[in-house]
Amino acid sequence: MAETHHDPAGARPGYGSLLRTRGAWTFLLPGFLARQPFAMLTIGILLLVNDTTGSYGTAGTVSATAGVAMALFAPLSGKLADRFGQAAVLMPGVVVHAAAISLLTTLALSHAPLWALLAAAVPAGASTPQIGPMVRARWAARLDGSPLMPTAAAFESVTDEFTFVIGPVLATALCTGVHPAAGLVAEAALTLVGGLLFATQRRTQPAAAGAAAAAGGAKGVSALSVPGVRVLAVTMLGIGTVFGGMQVSMTAFTKELGEPGLNGLMYGTFAAGNMIAGIVCGAVAWKISAQRRLLIAYPLLVLATTPLWAADALPLLGAAGLAVGLCIAPSLITGYTLVEKLVPAGARTEAFTWLTGAVGLGQAAGATVGGRLIDAHGASTGFLVPLGGTALALVVLLALRKALTPKGESVVAARGVGHREPVPVD
């Protein structure tokens, strides 16, 4: 059974107070280890398969297959965790994932045919543990009704950003500096160790809903029945194309210039911008609504992706990548913040997994389309994928923006009055 521990009376709702929550570190540390595979999987597959086949298109297709499987099975994982408990899902899941990664790695190194790689990529992606949504669910269980909940949401968004900094850079460094398969080997090891450690922390996991959920009517609640969640999923899909397109295009660009070892530095610069913006966004006490913030941040992201394809030197690409990274975090964090406002408590874990899955699906699509463009027209054309993906998502966002206004919130409020408590940094 999960225990609920509110913050001490009078404690300021800042990061320091949050991290002093009893039992928090018992799931934060293993959770951090176990969530790295989400950011390592697709790029690890991309680099390994490209090395063994010599084709960015083939590598992108295999990587995309794993990403699509991850995206499609993520909501199911969230539902099962809500109903039967996180440990019941994670314990067998991480073992299956490690076995699937081992099979995929062996097939790639054995130069197996494409159909075999695709077949192995499906369980590898489908079994990826959804640690981020599970951590968010643990915070909600322990801080129910506490003023620290907005702080927890901001902290988790920053942690997600940090994952996208560390994961791809680590996988790239291992694949290019140690062995083409080293990135996937590390991904499987982190999944197994971190996932099992996280699952054993049963005192902090939310109580399994089981039959009680059905009796209370929560079982039938679907996150996708909320129109705003569908809109947010499309925006996250666009953000995913940025991650996927940047990964494959930067890999090809540095290789085309004869500097493949600098790929990690280039992607790290992009990811660092993402991380810096995430920390700032999590600490600011916003005075405008989350809906309006998203409508400002997303067009800026589209604008930042525009000059990527024209960069003809590594310094220019690094600067452009940094700008894109700085523009991703505001949109990503605001999207998750809106879930807290739009979705009933009984469906939030599922909603988080839909958004996380959408990022993974977009990442896979970006890597696939980018790889095909690179094979046909050169490395620079792959950078058109982030622009195209975010531009299409922006059209949907602007057309359906009213769906992001929480029920009971007036139009005037949606346009300017803040609805988030300040989040000072201790």
Side-chain angles (χ1 to χ4, degrees):
M1 287 288 294
E3 300 175 15
T4 300
H5 294 277
H6 299 288
D7 55 302
R12 292 193 309 135
Y15 289 138
S17 297
L18 178 73
L19 296 178
R20 288 193 292 272
T21 300
R22 189 185 308 171
W25 287 104
T26 64
F27 64 84
L28 285 180
L29 290 180
F32 181 76
L33 286 177
R35 71 204 301 170
Q36 297 307 312
F38 179 82
M40 295 175 67
L41 179 64
T42 54
I43 192 170
I45 294 173
L46 179 74
L47 294 172
L48 173 60
V49 177
N50 174 249
D51 181 81
T52 57
T53 65
S55 170
Y56 286 102
T58 299
T61 300
V62 179
S63 177
T65 300
V68 169
M70 183 196 306
L72 294 179
F73 279 84
L76 176 60
S77 174
K79 281 187 173 182
L80 291 175
D82 279 339
R83 186 172 183 185
F84 300 107
Q86 295 180 359
V89 174
L90 280 176
M91 290 288 192
V94 295
V95 175
V96 171
H97 184 75
I101 290 297
S102 299
L103 175 60
L104 177 58
T105 302
T106 301
L107 290 173
L109 293 176
S110 303
H111 301 280
L114 178 59
W115 68 265
L117 296 178
L118 295 176
V122 172
S127 59
T128 303
Q130 300 300 314
I131 300 296
M134 290 183 182
V135 172
R136 283 183 165 90
R138 293 194 183 215
W139 279 125
R142 298 186 74 74
L143 299 174
D144 185 28
S146 166
L148 282 175
M149 268 308 299
T151 313
F155 179 82
E156 284 307 307
S157 295
V158 172
T159 304
D160 284 338
E161 299 300 323
F162 194 49
T163 297
F164 279 106
V165 173
I166 298 297
V169 173
L170 176 60
T172 300
L174 289 171
C175 289
T176 58
V178 179
H179 188 277
L184 283 183
V185 171
E187 189 269 355
L190 286 172
T191 298
L192 190 60
V193 175
L196 291 177
L197 287 175
F198 182 82
T200 58
Q201 304 304 316
R202 296 174 183 268
R203 288 174 60 86
T204 56
Q205 74 172 356
K219 183 179 177 183
V221 176
S222 171
L224 280 185
S225 67
V226 181
V229 172
R230 299 195 290 269
V231 177
L232 290 174
V234 172
T235 64
M236 295 297 171
L237 194 67
I239 290 175
T241 65
V242 178
F243 287 117
M246 293 290 279
Q247 286 175 357
V248 68
S249 300
M250 284 184 164
T251 300
F253 190 84
T254 54
K255 189 174 182 179
E256 195 173 86
L257 293 182
E259 297 286 353
L262 294 179
N263 178 39
L265 176 62
M266 288 293 99
Y267 194 84
T269 302
F270 156 70
N274 199 5
M275 175 63 183
I276 292 169
I279 294 174
V280 173
C281 287
V284 170
W286 296 101
K287 297 184 181 298
I288 58 176
S289 69
Q291 180 204 33
R292 187 165 178 80
R293 293 204 307 272
L294 185 60
L295 293 174
I296 293 173
Y298 214 85
L300 290 176
L301 174 59
V302 177
L303 184 64
T305 62
T306 304
L308 284 170
W309 68 273
D312 57 2
L314 290 178
L316 291 176
L317 178 60
L322 178 64
V324 174
L326 289 170
C327 292
I328 284 182
S331 296
L332 200 61
I333 289 176
T334 307
Y336 279 109
T337 300
L338 278 166
V339 168
E340 307 269 350
K341 301 174 179 295
L342 295 170
V343 182
R348 282 178 188 162
T349 302
E350 182 196 351
F352 286 134
T353 56
W354 275 113
L355 299 196
T356 302
V359 173
L361 185 60
Q363 188 175 20
T368 301
V369 177
R372 297 297 180 186
L373 288 173
I374 290 166
D375 282 346
H377 305 290
S380 294
T381 58
F383 289 113
L384 293 173
V385 172
L387 173 59
T390 53
L392 290 174
L394 177 61
V395 172
V396 175
L397 173 62
L398 293 177
L400 303 176
R401 60 188 181 277
K402 291 183 179 179
L404 299 179
T405 302
K407 290 182 179 180
E409 182 178 304
S410 69
V411 175
V412 173
R415 287 178 178 174
V417 179
H419 294 277
R420 174 182 171 187
E421 294 84 357
V423 186
V425 180
D426 287 353

